[in-house]
Amino acid sequence: MSHLDIKNFTVSTGGKNVVSDMSLSIESGELHVLMGPNGSGKSSLLNAIMGHPKYVLNGGVMLLDGENITELPTEKKAKAGLFLSLQHLPEIAGVTLTNFLHRAYKELKDGKETPLEFYKMTEARANEFGIDPTFLKKHVNKGLSGGEKKQSEVLQLLALKPKFAFLDEIDSGVDVDAMKRIFAVIEHLRKEGVGFLLVTHYSNILKSLTPDHVHVMKDGKLVLSGGKELAEKIAHDGFDTIA
Protein backbone atom coordinates (compact mmCIF):
# COMPACT_ATOMS: atom_id res chain seq x y z
CA MET A 1 0.00 0.00 0.00
CA SER A 2 1.26 3.44 -0.93
CA HIS A 3 0.24 6.82 0.41
CA LEU A 4 0.58 10.24 -1.20
CA ASP A 5 0.29 13.40 0.91
CA ILE A 6 0.03 16.82 -0.69
CA LYS A 7 0.30 19.36 2.10
CA ASN A 8 -0.42 23.09 1.93
CA PHE A 9 0.49 23.54 -1.74
CA THR A 10 0.60 27.19 -2.80
CA VAL A 11 1.32 27.77 -6.48
CA SER A 12 1.78 30.77 -8.73
CA THR A 13 2.27 31.30 -12.45
CA GLY A 14 3.03 34.52 -14.27
CA GLY A 15 3.21 36.28 -10.92
CA LYS A 16 -0.37 35.32 -10.08
CA ASN A 17 -1.36 33.01 -7.22
CA VAL A 18 -3.42 30.14 -8.68
CA VAL A 19 -3.46 27.57 -5.84
CA SER A 20 -3.59 28.46 -2.13
CA ASP A 21 -2.86 26.15 0.80
CA MET A 22 -4.16 23.00 -0.95
CA SER A 23 -3.95 19.66 0.89
CA LEU A 24 -4.97 16.17 -0.25
CA SER A 25 -4.14 12.62 0.81
CA ILE A 26 -4.54 9.67 -1.56
CA GLU A 27 -4.19 5.98 -0.75
CA SER A 28 -3.50 3.08 -3.10
CA GLY A 29 -6.63 2.10 -5.01
CA GLU A 30 -8.56 5.26 -4.17
CA LEU A 31 -10.30 7.45 -6.72
CA HIS A 32 -10.42 11.15 -5.88
CA VAL A 33 -12.41 13.44 -8.16
CA LEU A 34 -11.48 17.13 -8.27
CA MET A 35 -14.17 19.46 -9.60
CA GLY A 36 -14.64 23.20 -9.89
CA PRO A 37 -15.49 25.98 -12.33
CA ASN A 38 -13.08 27.03 -15.08
CA GLY A 39 -10.04 28.85 -13.74
CA SER A 40 -10.34 27.44 -10.25
CA GLY A 41 -6.77 26.05 -10.23
CA LYS A 42 -7.35 22.34 -10.87
CA SER A 43 -4.96 21.95 -13.81
CA SER A 44 -2.44 24.27 -12.15
CA LEU A 45 -2.36 21.96 -9.14
CA LEU A 46 -1.66 18.87 -11.26
CA ASN A 47 1.07 20.64 -13.22
CA ALA A 48 2.70 21.87 -10.03
CA ILE A 49 2.60 18.38 -8.53
CA MET A 50 4.67 17.05 -11.45
CA GLY A 51 7.04 20.02 -11.49
CA HIS A 52 6.03 21.91 -14.63
CA PRO A 53 8.52 24.83 -14.86
CA LYS A 54 5.72 27.32 -15.60
CA TYR A 55 4.26 26.76 -12.13
CA VAL A 56 6.17 28.00 -9.09
CA LEU A 57 5.63 26.19 -5.81
CA ASN A 58 5.68 28.90 -3.16
CA GLY A 59 4.86 26.63 -0.24
CA GLY A 60 3.95 23.11 0.74
CA VAL A 61 5.40 19.61 0.56
CA MET A 62 4.56 16.32 -1.15
CA LEU A 63 5.29 13.03 0.59
CA LEU A 64 5.25 9.63 -1.12
CA ASP A 65 5.19 6.88 1.49
CA GLY A 66 6.63 9.38 3.95
CA GLU A 67 9.49 10.50 1.69
CA ASN A 68 9.66 14.14 0.66
CA ILE A 69 9.62 14.21 -3.15
CA THR A 70 8.60 17.87 -3.51
CA GLU A 71 11.80 19.07 -5.15
CA LEU A 72 12.49 16.04 -7.34
CA PRO A 73 12.67 16.77 -11.07
CA THR A 74 9.74 15.55 -13.14
CA GLU A 75 11.49 12.44 -14.48
CA LYS A 76 12.37 11.30 -10.96
CA LYS A 77 8.79 11.83 -9.81
CA ALA A 78 7.76 9.60 -12.70
CA LYS A 79 10.30 6.98 -11.68
CA ALA A 80 8.96 7.18 -8.13
CA GLY A 81 5.53 6.17 -9.46
CA LEU A 82 3.64 9.34 -10.45
CA PHE A 83 1.85 9.74 -13.81
CA LEU A 84 0.23 12.84 -15.32
CA SER A 85 -2.16 12.86 -18.26
CA LEU A 86 -2.28 16.45 -19.47
CA GLN A 87 -5.44 18.19 -20.57
CA HIS A 88 -3.82 19.17 -23.88
CA LEU A 89 -1.56 16.37 -25.02
CA PRO A 90 1.56 17.12 -27.08
CA GLU A 91 2.33 15.39 -30.38
CA ILE A 92 5.70 13.73 -30.95
CA ALA A 93 6.32 13.19 -34.65
CA GLY A 94 8.72 10.39 -35.60
CA VAL A 95 8.32 8.38 -32.39
CA THR A 96 5.80 5.53 -32.30
CA LEU A 97 3.81 4.95 -29.16
CA THR A 98 5.38 1.49 -28.83
CA ASN A 99 8.93 2.87 -28.93
CA PHE A 100 8.01 5.67 -26.53
CA LEU A 101 6.38 3.28 -24.07
CA HIS A 102 9.07 0.61 -24.36
CA ARG A 103 11.76 3.13 -23.43
CA ALA A 104 9.67 4.45 -20.52
CA TYR A 105 8.88 0.91 -19.37
CA LYS A 106 12.57 -0.02 -19.31
CA GLU A 107 13.38 3.12 -17.31
CA LEU A 108 10.51 2.83 -14.83
CA LYS A 109 10.13 -0.91 -14.43
CA ASP A 110 13.59 -2.25 -15.39
CA GLY A 111 11.77 -4.29 -18.03
CA LYS A 112 13.86 -6.82 -19.97
CA GLU A 113 11.38 -7.41 -22.79
CA THR A 114 12.55 -6.84 -26.36
CA PRO A 115 10.62 -4.24 -28.39
CA LEU A 116 8.69 -7.03 -30.13
CA GLU A 117 7.86 -8.79 -26.84
CA PHE A 118 6.75 -5.49 -25.35
CA TYR A 119 4.59 -4.72 -28.38
CA LYS A 120 2.82 -8.07 -28.15
CA MET A 121 2.30 -7.64 -24.41
CA THR A 122 0.85 -4.14 -24.83
CA GLU A 123 -1.23 -5.15 -27.84
CA ALA A 124 -2.83 -7.87 -25.72
CA ARG A 125 -3.72 -5.32 -23.02
CA ALA A 126 -5.25 -3.01 -25.64
CA ASN A 127 -7.38 -5.82 -27.03
CA GLU A 128 -8.42 -6.83 -23.52
CA PHE A 129 -10.06 -3.43 -23.01
CA GLY A 130 -11.30 -2.89 -26.56
CA ILE A 131 -8.76 -0.16 -27.34
CA ASP A 132 -7.56 0.03 -30.94
CA PRO A 133 -4.06 -1.55 -30.89
CA THR A 134 -3.05 0.34 -34.05
CA PHE A 135 -2.41 3.32 -31.76
CA LEU A 136 0.78 1.48 -30.82
CA LYS A 137 2.14 1.84 -34.35
CA LYS A 138 1.27 5.52 -34.71
CA HIS A 139 3.46 8.44 -33.76
CA VAL A 140 2.70 9.70 -30.25
CA ASN A 141 -0.62 11.60 -30.48
CA LYS A 142 0.18 12.65 -34.09
CA GLY A 143 -2.99 13.11 -36.13
CA LEU A 144 -5.22 11.68 -33.40
CA SER A 145 -8.54 13.18 -32.38
CA GLY A 146 -9.01 14.36 -28.82
CA GLY A 147 -10.80 11.15 -27.86
CA GLU A 148 -8.15 8.98 -29.53
CA LYS A 149 -5.42 10.80 -27.62
CA LYS A 150 -7.18 10.04 -24.34
CA GLN A 151 -7.39 6.33 -25.25
CA SER A 152 -3.70 6.40 -26.12
CA GLU A 153 -3.09 7.82 -22.64
CA VAL A 154 -4.87 4.96 -20.92
CA LEU A 155 -2.76 2.53 -22.96
CA GLN A 156 0.22 4.23 -21.34
CA LEU A 157 -1.41 3.79 -17.94
CA LEU A 158 -1.88 0.08 -18.59
CA ALA A 159 1.72 -0.35 -19.71
CA LEU A 160 3.38 1.69 -16.96
CA LYS A 161 0.98 1.05 -14.05
CA PRO A 162 2.09 3.91 -11.78
CA LYS A 163 1.44 4.16 -8.06
CA PHE A 164 -0.61 7.34 -8.53
CA ALA A 165 -2.13 8.84 -11.67
CA PHE A 166 -3.32 12.41 -12.16
CA LEU A 167 -5.79 12.64 -15.05
CA ASP A 168 -6.73 16.10 -16.31
CA GLU A 169 -10.15 15.93 -18.00
CA ILE A 170 -9.60 12.40 -19.34
CA ASP A 171 -13.34 12.40 -20.14
CA SER A 172 -13.33 15.60 -22.21
CA GLY A 173 -14.07 15.26 -25.94
CA VAL A 174 -14.53 11.50 -25.68
CA ASP A 175 -17.52 9.64 -27.13
CA VAL A 176 -19.66 7.31 -25.05
CA ASP A 177 -18.05 4.05 -26.20
CA ALA A 178 -14.50 5.33 -25.71
CA MET A 179 -15.52 6.66 -22.30
CA LYS A 180 -16.59 3.17 -21.24
CA ARG A 181 -13.21 1.77 -22.29
CA ILE A 182 -11.31 4.49 -20.44
CA PHE A 183 -13.34 4.03 -17.27
CA ALA A 184 -12.93 0.24 -17.48
CA VAL A 185 -9.15 0.72 -17.45
CA ILE A 186 -9.36 3.09 -14.48
CA GLU A 187 -11.51 0.65 -12.52
CA HIS A 188 -9.19 -2.24 -13.37
CA LEU A 189 -6.11 -0.33 -12.23
CA ARG A 190 -7.86 0.79 -9.04
CA LYS A 191 -8.33 -2.87 -8.17
CA GLU A 192 -4.61 -3.39 -8.80
CA GLY A 193 -3.77 -0.61 -6.35
CA VAL A 194 -3.28 2.49 -8.50
CA GLY A 195 -4.53 5.65 -6.81
CA PHE A 196 -6.19 8.32 -8.96
CA LEU A 197 -6.82 12.05 -8.82
CA LEU A 198 -9.20 12.81 -11.68
CA VAL A 199 -10.01 16.38 -12.70
CA THR A 200 -13.39 16.77 -14.41
CA HIS A 201 -16.19 19.25 -15.04
CA TYR A 202 -18.76 16.53 -15.52
CA SER A 203 -20.68 14.49 -12.99
CA ASN A 204 -21.40 11.93 -15.75
CA ILE A 205 -18.47 9.91 -14.48
CA LEU A 206 -20.72 8.81 -11.62
CA LYS A 207 -22.56 6.60 -14.10
CA SER A 208 -19.42 4.52 -14.54
CA LEU A 209 -17.19 5.16 -11.53
CA THR A 210 -17.83 5.55 -7.81
CA PRO A 211 -15.25 7.93 -6.33
CA ASP A 212 -14.00 7.49 -2.80
CA HIS A 213 -13.72 11.26 -2.37
CA VAL A 214 -14.99 14.31 -4.27
CA HIS A 215 -13.30 17.70 -3.83
CA VAL A 216 -14.33 21.14 -5.04
CA MET A 217 -11.91 23.97 -5.83
CA LYS A 218 -12.88 27.61 -6.27
CA ASP A 219 -10.52 30.55 -6.73
CA GLY A 220 -7.49 28.35 -6.10
CA LYS A 221 -8.73 26.93 -2.81
CA LEU A 222 -10.19 23.62 -1.71
CA VAL A 223 -13.59 24.70 -0.43
CA LEU A 224 -15.42 21.40 0.16
CA SER A 225 -14.84 17.64 0.22
CA GLY A 226 -17.32 14.81 0.38
CA GLY A 227 -18.43 11.62 -1.30
CA LYS A 228 -20.43 10.75 -4.38
CA GLU A 229 -23.35 12.79 -3.08
CA LEU A 230 -21.32 16.00 -3.44
CA ALA A 231 -20.86 15.42 -7.18
CA GLU A 232 -24.58 14.65 -7.45
CA LYS A 233 -25.39 17.95 -5.72
CA ILE A 234 -23.15 19.83 -8.15
CA ALA A 235 -24.83 18.10 -11.09
CA HIS A 236 -28.21 19.28 -9.81
CA ASP A 237 -27.42 22.72 -8.41
CA GLY A 238 -24.13 23.80 -10.05
CA PHE A 239 -21.00 25.26 -8.46
CA ASP A 240 -22.61 28.53 -7.46
CA THR A 241 -24.27 26.80 -4.50
CA ILE A 242 -20.86 25.78 -3.10
CA ALA A 243 -19.51 28.40 -0.71
Side-chain angles (χ1 to χ4, degrees):
M1 293 286 290
S2 287
H3 184 87
L4 183 70
D5 278 316
I6 299 161
K7 296 184 176 182
N8 308 113
F9 258 40
T10 297
V11 179
S12 64
T13 183
K16 178 184 177 182
N17 205 52
V18 289
V19 177
S20 299
D21 201 31
M22 181 80 174
S23 296
L24 284 173
S25 293
I26 309 171
E27 300 279 356
S28 294
E30 286 187 342
L31 172 63
H32 290 242
V33 171
L34 183 60
M35 306 182 75
N38 289 329
S40 57
K42 305 182 299 298
S43 296
S44 298
L45 173 67
L46 299 195
N47 279 289
I49 285 171
M50 288 303 291
H52 193 298
K54 179 181 174 182
Y55 297 88
V56 179
L57 185 63
N58 297 314
V61 296
M62 180 164 58
L63 306 176
L64 177 60
D65 298 328
E67 180 182 351
N68 189 341
I69 63 169
T70 313
E71 300 297 332
L72 289 183
T74 301
E75 67 273 14
K76 290 191 176 181
K77 287 178 179 176
K79 286 185 178 182
L82 305 188
F83 178 101
L84 171 63
S85 174
L86 295 165
Q87 183 176 346
H88 303 292
L89 298 164
E91 298 181 358
I92 308 176
V95 179
T96 67
L97 182 59
T98 296
N99 288 340
F100 175 79
L101 278 179
H102 183 242
R103 180 64 179 268
Y105 183 80
K106 288 177 67 177
E107 288 288 330
L108 299 177
K109 305 293 184 182
D110 294 325
K112 307 301 181 185
E113 290 84 356
T114 66
L116 181 58
E117 289 170 339
F118 179 80
Y119 174 81
K120 290 181 177 179
M121 178 178 71
T122 311
E123 181 185 41
R125 298 310 304 271
N127 286 324
E128 181 183 349
F129 290 93
I131 298 172
D132 186 353
T134 63
F135 288 147
L136 293 167
K137 297 181 179 179
K138 296 180 179 180
H139 296 173
V140 178
N141 294 324
K142 186 69 175 176
L144 300 185
S145 69
E148 288 173 333
K149 288 179 179 180
K150 299 302 174 72
Q151 291 182 80
S152 174
E153 284 288 282
V154 298
L155 266 180
Q156 295 180 44
L157 269 173
L158 280 168
L160 302 178
K161 193 182 169 184
K163 291 179 179 179
F164 295 97
F166 309 99
L167 309 182
D168 196 351
E169 297 194 23
I170 195 74
D171 52 342
S172 178
V174 180
D175 64 42
V176 173
D177 291 331
M179 193 89 72
K180 290 179 180 178
R181 292 191 285 270
I182 289 170
F183 288 161
V185 170
I186 292 173
E187 192 59 41
H188 170 79
L189 290 174
R190 280 178 76 185
K191 292 177 181 177
E192 292 198 344
V194 178
F196 286 90
L197 177 58
L198 193 159
V199 165
T200 184
H201 289 287
Y202 308 110
S203 58
N204 287 339
I205 66 163
L206 299 176
K207 297 176 182 177
S208 302
L209 297 170
T210 301
D212 297 288
H213 302 277
V214 175
H215 311 281
V216 179
M217 283 187 77
K218 293 183 78 173
D219 299 322
K221 298 179 180 179
L222 180 63
V223 294
L224 193 62
S225 294
K228 179 179 179 180
E229 71 284 348
L230 177 54
E232 292 171 341
K233 174 178 171 58
I234 292 169
H236 186 268
D237 301 328
F239 292 113
D240 288 342
T241 61
I242 306 296

